[in-house]
Amino acid sequence: MLFSLAAGAILLFAPAAHAQATRIPLSNSNFPISQGVWVGDSLYLSGMMASTFSSPTPGDTKDQTVSAIQQIQKALEAQKLTLGDVVMMHVYLAGDPAKGGKMDFVGFMAGYTQFFGTPAQPNKPARSAMQVAALAAPTGLVEIEVIAVRPK
């Protein structure tokens, strides 16, 4: 009896066949990451920041959130997906100097709710949001990565 239970456990926890990964290169860049990676029907997008983070006026958390989500939207559309296909979102918020170094979660939500949970796009992903010490771009306040799933 013990042997058959152990054999059953081995079968139960045996690794499944690995799905093929298809990488999407960053456009016009030799930076050593992929913009995204397809594994089966799931698309994992690298963290995206506002297109304005390097400008002289990068905007506040709300502005950067809107811009980052627009960047995500473009990347999804290039893969024939929409924001409604996003199932998981990780949000990294840097402390805003204008808020005493604390993350501006209210500003983030003001940008986020323009795209998720609306009458036009009611789907809401699972989500984590956290304050980080800093982002790679010195004036960046928001970086967002998502996982989307191709609808069947």
Side-chain angles (χ1 to χ4, degrees):
M1 181 73 156
L2 182 56
F3 176 75
S4 62
L5 286 176
I10 290 169
L11 290 175
L12 180 64
F13 294 107
H18 292 283
Q20 179 69 28
T22 304
R23 287 157 176 67
I24 304 163
L26 285 173
S27 300
N28 304 315
S29 175
N30 61 357
F31 198 67
I33 64 170
S34 295
Q35 180 183 40
V37 178
W38 277 103
V39 179
D41 286 334
S42 297
L43 176 63
Y44 299 80
L45 285 181
S46 290
M48 300 214 181
M49 297 179 73
S51 61
T52 59
F53 73 83
S54 62
S55 72
T57 54
D60 61 11
T61 298
K62 177 184 174 186
D63 296 335
Q64 289 192 29
T65 298
V66 168
S67 181
I69 293 174
Q70 289 170 337
Q71 298 300 317
I72 291 166
Q73 194 169 32
K74 288 177 194 172
L76 291 170
E77 287 171 357
Q79 298 299 311
K80 297 181 174 40
L81 297 172
T82 70
L83 291 173
D85 299 318
V86 173
V87 296
M88 184 66 187
M89 177 182 283
H90 298 128
V91 179
Y92 306 97
L93 299 170
D96 185 345
K99 302 279 183 190
K102 296 189 190 284
M103 70 176 180
D104 181 8
F105 189 74
V106 171
F108 164 73
M109 286 301 293
Y112 171 87
T113 55
Q114 293 179 33
F115 299 92
F116 295 95
T118 67
Q121 200 298 96
N123 296 343
K124 294 177 264 184
R127 189 187 78 202
S128 298
M130 64 217 76
Q131 181 170 346
V132 296
L135 298 172
T139 59
L141 298 172
V142 180
E143 184 169 351
I144 302 171
E145 59 187 26
V146 301
I147 302 168
V149 175
R150 184 177 320 183
K152 299 260 178 190

